[in-house]
Amino acid sequence: MIRELIVVEGRDDTVAIKRAVEADTIETGGSALNEMTFRKIALAQERRGVIIFTDPDFAGERIRKAIAARVPGCKHAFITRDKATANGDIGVENASPEHIREALSRVKSEMGTFHGTVLSWTDLIEAGLTTHPGSAERRMRLGELLGIGYCNAKQFLKRCTAFQISREEFEDALTHLYREIEQAKHKEEQ
């Protein structure tokens, strides 16, 4: 049983979550967040804690941001687009129980003050995560490796800070990513 309540977008997401784990959910009803839903989420956060687990699309990110802004201290679970897509439809409801459990095992918490080394815009540029060809694909894979999901470069930097991704974690994930790229190139050459 997961202690926290999991915030999802709709009933189909709840069904998918319950197939994967024993947990209680709060459904936002899609992007139509209302005051009552915010109050339920705030009460859940106060009493049991909350994990926001929205779809890996624009609407899901908008809901995630709105909840995180109104209800501080929520945890976040991210699933990649490829693991949440079926027949062209993107959503948590399409993820397998295994992928849902994997995402929930990598939950991230937003913390107050970060005492580690903060990453900079220059770090992203040097890593080829922005202003380079293929930077979106690299950010997508690195977000998956770090467990913070896909987002644009500016949001990626914010998430690294909010979820206290250390320079060492960042560099380890980057090394892994570069290794994958080299292996892919090597396979193409054969």
Side-chain angles (χ1 to χ4, degrees):
M1 173 74 173
I2 293 181
R3 179 186 184 280
E4 298 90 349
L5 275 95
I6 301 174
V7 176
V8 295
E9 293 178 50
R11 186 177 11 189
D12 292 340
D13 297 330
T14 291
V15 170
I17 295 291
K18 290 184 182 269
R19 273 195 315 252
V21 294
E22 190 177 333
D24 296 318
T25 63
I26 295 174
E27 296 167 7
T28 67
S31 58
L33 283 166
N34 59 40
E35 198 56 40
M36 179 57 90
T37 304
F38 280 120
R39 275 187 278 195
K40 277 197 270 185
I41 295 168
L43 182 61
Q45 173 63 4
E46 182 182 310
R47 302 241 171 120
R48 290 178 55 185
V50 165
I51 299 171
I52 303 170
F53 197 0
T54 54
D55 296 346
D57 59 11
F58 179 78
E61 285 303 308
R62 204 174 103 250
I63 293 167
R64 180 184 299 278
K65 285 180 190 177
I67 295 168
R70 291 275 304 266
V71 184
C74 292
K75 295 178 181 177
H76 298 262
F78 296 94
I79 193 158
T80 59
R81 284 176 172 257
D82 64 316
K83 292 177 181 172
T85 301
N87 301 319
D89 178 48
I90 298 173
V92 170
E93 73 271 11
N94 299 316
S96 70
E98 176 187 341
H99 290 140
I100 289 171
R101 285 190 293 272
E102 178 187 325
L104 289 169
S105 74
R106 300 181 72 189
V107 165
K108 299 290 184 188
S109 297
E110 288 190 55
M111 304 302 261
T113 308
F114 182 41
H115 299 290
T117 306
V118 178
L119 298 172
S120 69
W121 190 252
T122 303
D123 293 321
L124 296 190
I125 293 171
E126 289 175 357
L129 300 175
T130 187
T131 69
H132 290 52
S135 60
E137 292 82 8
R138 284 193 287 278
R139 259 193 333 276
M140 183 182 302
R141 180 63 181 133
L142 199 60
E144 182 178 351
L145 291 169
L146 292 170
I148 62 172
Y150 172 74
C151 47
N152 66 32
K154 185 177 175 182
Q155 197 62 31
F156 187 90
L157 191 56
K158 284 183 180 180
R159 281 189 188 172
C160 284
T161 302
F163 298 128
Q164 299 189 3
I165 302 298
S166 69
R167 182 168 297 282
E168 182 180 6
E169 284 177 282
F170 178 77
E171 289 174 358
D172 287 348
L174 204 53
T175 299
H176 185 88
L177 172 68
Y178 289 151
R179 208 174 297 128
E180 287 179 356
I181 292 169
E182 285 302 313
Q183 288 171 351
K185 283 181 185 176
H186 181 68
K187 281 183 181 180
E188 282 181 16
E189 291 171 358
Q190 290 181 345

XYZ file of all heavy atoms in Angstrom, residues 17 84 102 173:
27
model
N -3.507 2.690 -12.241
C -2.721 2.736 -10.999
C -3.090 1.544 -10.121
O -2.228 0.852 -9.580
C -2.961 4.063 -10.232
C -2.445 5.264 -11.027
C -2.359 4.010 -8.827
C -0.956 5.383 -11.171
N 3.889 5.443 -22.030
C 2.507 5.846 -21.749
C 1.714 6.077 -23.029
O 0.722 6.774 -23.020
C 2.511 7.115 -20.900
N 7.535 1.144 -11.799
C 8.874 1.714 -11.997
C 8.857 3.226 -11.758
O 9.716 3.759 -11.054
C 9.358 1.411 -13.419
C 10.717 1.990 -13.753
C 11.060 1.793 -15.227
O 10.681 0.753 -15.800
O 11.697 2.695 -15.791
N 24.479 10.311 -15.233
C 23.423 10.090 -16.221
C 23.898 10.515 -17.612
O 23.609 9.843 -18.606
C 22.161 10.850 -15.828
